[in-house]
Amino acid sequence: MENKEQRRFPEWERYLSIHEAGHALLAYLWGSRSIEIGIADENRTIVFSGDNEHNDCKAACLYDLYHDDGLTPDPKAMLSVMIAGAAAESVYTGLSIDHLMTKTAKSDSEKIAKSLELIQKRACGRPDHSKWIYLRSLSLCKSIINIYWRDIEALADLVEQKRMTPHPEIINFFESRESLKEARIYQLIDTIDRGEAA
């Protein structure tokens, strides 16, 4: 028998919570401490804390990684967080990240394209700099998603129960995970690089 909560919200598709958990994990590892995830109601609306309303979406992850100019000090941070949703969804569904970027991750794909344009403009004439940064970020993101897959699944469970998960709860979740206690992004990058080089 359907309960009141099930009638209120549309049927939830697991891949969406996995997708948003992927964004949240990478944002956390790059230092964001203001991360929220919301699941839309039947009107495709999410109301985040501070009455910050997002419309015409199924789910969203907000994080505070950006500087005023739209870039972080390390472009790999920005890009890997944007890619992380599709990367996590790819692990869960078995579909390629490229395929997902044309389907469920279209808005991420658009943001990535704009960011890559900005990165290339700042590359001082170095050819294919943005392509190299993208491929490097993609590789990094895929490795980290695989390392912390259980954490992503556990966060997706929390998101599905809460529907709107404010930043204190997400940060408490990450800080309570034994696997993330010693996680430092640049150490992870070094470890991943050594593994790729071997």
Side-chain angles (χ1 to χ4, degrees):
M1 175 126 180
E2 201 178 45
N3 66 31
K4 191 176 186 181
E5 195 71 2
Q6 287 171 320
R7 285 196 306 274
R8 185 172 165 215
F9 293 102
E11 184 179 338
W12 181 243
E13 295 164 316
R14 174 78 172 167
Y15 74 87
L16 291 168
S17 59
I18 292 283
H19 180 112
E20 303 308 338
H23 286 308
L25 173 71
L26 266 291
Y28 176 78
L29 290 173
W30 280 111
S32 179
R33 292 301 177 264
S34 181
I35 305 167
E36 295 188 331
I37 298 176
I39 297 174
D41 63 18
E42 65 276 9
N43 299 315
R44 293 176 56 89
T45 298
I46 307 166
V47 180
F48 288 99
S49 42
D51 293 328
N52 179 2
E53 191 172 292
H54 281 230
N55 297 297
D56 198 26
C57 61
K58 290 184 178 182
C61 176
L62 304 184
Y63 48 92
D64 65 355
L65 203 59
Y66 299 103
H67 290 180
D68 291 340
D69 65 358
L71 285 174
T72 64
D74 186 339
K76 288 190 302 294
M78 174 187 59
L79 290 170
S80 61
V81 175
M82 289 179 185
I83 295 165
E89 191 181 335
S90 174
V91 171
Y92 180 71
T93 63
L95 298 170
S96 75
I97 292 174
D98 287 343
H99 173 77
L100 293 169
M101 286 293 185
T102 66
K103 302 293 181 192
T104 56
K106 271 186 188 174
S107 66
D108 293 334
S109 181
E110 289 166 7
K111 289 177 194 168
I112 289 166
K114 286 179 185 170
S115 298
L116 289 172
E117 280 178 28
L118 186 53
I119 289 166
Q120 190 58 43
K121 280 181 189 171
R122 295 180 177 191
C124 302
R126 286 178 285 170
D128 295 328
H129 179 68
S130 62
K131 183 177 180 181
W132 179 85
I133 289 280
Y134 175 79
L135 293 173
R136 183 72 191 92
S137 302
L138 176 63
S139 174
L140 170 67
C141 182
K142 285 162 63 173
S143 296
I144 289 174
I145 293 290
N146 284 315
I147 291 167
Y148 295 107
W149 180 249
R150 287 189 178 153
D151 301 291
I152 289 172
E153 287 185 308
L155 179 56
D157 291 341
L158 176 66
V159 167
E160 288 172 3
Q161 293 165 14
K162 302 289 295 185
R163 307 205 78 83
M164 206 325 263
T165 314
H167 67 87
E169 289 183 45
I170 289 182
I171 298 308
N172 288 341
F173 168 84
F174 283 132
E175 289 177 350
S176 72
R177 301 292 290 182
E178 202 59 43
S179 55
L180 290 165
K181 289 241 181 285
E182 300 300 319
R184 301 291 179 270
I185 191 70
Y186 287 104
Q187 290 171 351
L188 278 169
I189 292 171
D190 288 344
T191 302
I192 290 163
D193 283 345
R194 283 195 304 275
E196 287 177 354

